[in-house]
């Protein structure tokens, strides 16, 4: 096994200001599934998804991947998972991706682990 990790923290007030200032930003960064999930839960949940995307980019040491090609979805228990879009999937061949999120009104954090040993 060969693991890499990434972590990111987001200041929720700064994030809210950016999202409210630039109306197109939300749609550039997040899929409709992510926006729908966070609509009732609050913008801090979108902030933790932003942190998760940044943490994923750190873990795989990669740029040039579209924000929306890294989607955070929750399974029935509430546990979040990262679902890669077509382009990201063809670029990476991870045998495992794990993500964990946490948020308060002030900060949102995410940790991502990838296993890049061959499947
Ligand atoms: C799940 C739990 C750990 C969340 O902790 P919290 O302190 O309330 O909230 P945090 O801000 O730290 O974390 C919230 C995030 O936890 C994650 N989460 C929720 N359920 C989860 C689960 N079963 N496993 C892993 N992560 C989970 C989600 O990503 C959530 O954010 P999101 O809704 O934006 O995706 C908490 O509700 C808990 O301890 N529940 C009791 C135990 C439990 O239900 N375990 C799951 C049994 S299947």
């Amino acid at each position: 096994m060969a693991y890499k990790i990434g972590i990111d923290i987001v200041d929720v007030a700064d994030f809210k200001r950016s999202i409210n200032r630039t109306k197109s930003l939300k749609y550039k960064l997040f899929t409709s599934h992510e926006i729908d999930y966070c609509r009732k839960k609050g913008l801090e949940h979108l902030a933790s998804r932003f942190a998760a995307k940044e943490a994923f980019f750190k873990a795989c040491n990669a740029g040039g991947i579209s924000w929306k090609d890294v989607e955070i979805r929750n399974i029935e228990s509430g546990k979040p998972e990262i679902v890669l879009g077509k382009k990201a999937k063809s670029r990476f061949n991870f045998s495992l991706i794990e993500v964990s999120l946490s948020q308060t009104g002030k900060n949102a954090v995410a940790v991502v682990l990838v296993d890049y040993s061959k499947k």
Side-chain angles (χ1 to χ4, degrees), residues 27-119:
Y27 304 98
K28 184 180 166 197
L29 297 175
F30 303 105
T31 65
S32 53
H33 174 86
E34 292 169 330
I35 292 170
D36 284 350
Y37 179 85
C38 298
R39 189 163 284 133
K40 284 184 198 140
K41 297 199 83 173
L43 275 181
E44 63 272 27
H45 292 263
L46 266 190
S48 63
R49 278 155 180 75
F50 180 72
K53 290 166 196 260
E54 292 269 48
F56 176 80
F57 296 141
K58 286 183 188 174
C60 59
N61 198 20
I65 306 286
S66 151
W67 293 99
K68 293 203 274 194
D69 234 16
V70 180
E71 182 177 60
I72 289 77
R73 282 184 172 261
N74 298 69
I75 62 171
E76 213 175 321
S77 67
K79 180 185 182 299
E81 291 188 344
I82 286 183
V83 179
L84 296 183
K86 220 174 176 183
K87 201 173 163 196
K89 218 175 192 171
S90 65
R91 183 158 162 196
F92 304 110
N93 191 27
F94 298 132
S95 46
L96 178 79
I97 306 174
E98 285 288 337
V99 59
S100 189
L101 310 180
S102 187
Q103 55 274 308
T104 66
K106 286 187 179 165
N107 294 114
V109 295
V111 176
V112 169
L113 176 146
V114 298
D115 180 352
Y116 60 93
S117 51
K118 286 206 168 65
K119 275 187 196 167

